[in-house]
Amino acid sequence: MDFFKKPHIAGAIAASGNELSELITDLADLREARTVVEFGPGTGVFTRVALRKLPRDAFYLAIERDPDFMQKLRAEFRTARLYEDSASSLENHLAENGKKCCDRIISGLPWTIFSEQIQTETLGSAHRSLCDGGIFVTFAYVHSQYMPGGVRFKKLLKETFASVTKSHIAWRNLPPAFVYICRK
Ligand SMILES: C[S@@+](CC[C@H](N)C(=O)[O-])C[C@H]1O[C@@H](n2cnc3c(N)ncnc32)[C@H](O)[C@@H]1O
């Protein structure tokens, strides 16, 4: 099972590469994080790097809606709390684990192909779940920022977060991508 077989679900033709995985996890500033959430881990490329950078006793929760990806994630990441669900259910899963909020959210979701309703619901849930001062990072493909879903998503980010900045471009990624860094 790979991205090539499910591009309509994954919103990508390949998993993110090393350059983007290092960039997004660096920008999430995981060294001081206590509670970290990942949306849409897919094959676990960000998960692998994030777990290496996290403090050992930090709590890591990931939500992936695809059952095939989830089966593989469960086999590899035994210390992470993994939920086969939609990212918009984050508040329930934090509560189940006795957490009021999280410090960081790393998103691998294909925001550009989401409808306006799914973008709004999912980003709203992310924002409500973040502690004050928390950081939300998500990547976007360079070409997709000019597509209608990409333009709408950028506007929504700016309406939702106190601060939104962009990283440099990871040119070696396929396709090239950058990271939005958003603070609550
Ligand atoms: C572009 S892939 C990214 C995977 C990986 N993070 C990477 O960068 O290679 C998007 C992932 O998000 C998952 N996904 C899509 N919509 C979702 C949703 N609403 N909730 C949770 N996961 C979702 C897909 O199944 C897929 O695994």
Side-chain angles (χ1 to χ4, degrees):
M1 219 292 302
D2 55 31
F3 285 90
F4 221 63
K5 294 181 187 147
K6 298 191 181 188
H8 55 294
I9 296 169
I13 53 162
S16 298
N18 278 346
E19 185 187 13
L20 182 59
S21 304
E22 290 291 340
L23 179 65
I24 196 167
T25 50
D26 276 351
L27 292 169
D29 191 15
L30 298 173
R31 289 160 306 170
E32 305 287 320
R34 307 298 316 150
T35 303
V36 179
V37 168
E38 182 179 353
F39 285 164
T43 57
V45 284
F46 295 165
T47 322
R48 226 162 272 130
V49 181
L51 289 175
R52 171 163 57 74
K53 293 181 181 176
L54 265 189
R56 211 167 268 191
D57 56 348
F59 177 83
Y60 200 89
L61 184 162
I63 308 180
E64 166 58 58
R65 73 171 184 190
D66 183 86
D68 296 327
F69 283 138
M70 184 48 75
Q71 198 181 355
K72 291 192 175 171
L73 292 164
R74 289 212 163 103
E76 180 174 351
F77 301 108
R78 297 185 180 271
T79 60
R81 209 53 73 88
L82 300 169
Y83 292 98
E84 186 184 318
D85 204 345
S86 163
S88 58
S89 305
L90 173 59
E91 286 155 294
N92 295 341
H93 297 307
L94 283 174
E96 279 167 36
N97 286 281
K99 309 279 179 196
K100 288 204 176 102
C101 59
C102 55
D103 307 311
R104 306 284 185 268
I105 299 177
I106 300 171
S107 164
L109 296 180
W111 294 97
T112 307
I113 65 168
F114 285 171
S115 68
E116 182 169 6
Q117 187 188 346
I118 303 280
Q119 282 187 351
T120 307
E121 276 174 16
T122 310
L123 200 64
S125 170
H127 186 260
R128 287 190 300 276
S129 300
L130 270 179
C131 308
D132 288 342
I135 300 174
F136 171 88
V137 286
T138 190
F139 76 89
Y141 296 124
V142 172
H143 66 273
S144 74
Q145 65 185 316
Y146 306 109
M147 291 160 61
V151 172
R152 188 179 352 101
F153 180 58
K154 183 178 176 184
K155 184 167 174 279
L156 189 60
L157 283 177
K158 292 192 167 174
E159 288 166 1
T160 305
F161 286 95
S163 127
V164 179
T165 55
K166 280 166 70 172
S167 74
H168 65 262
I169 295 170
W171 285 109
R172 289 191 297 269
N173 199 68
L174 184 70
F178 63 90
V179 177
Y180 284 114
I181 308 110
C182 310
R183 286 174 192 273
K184 180 166 173 176

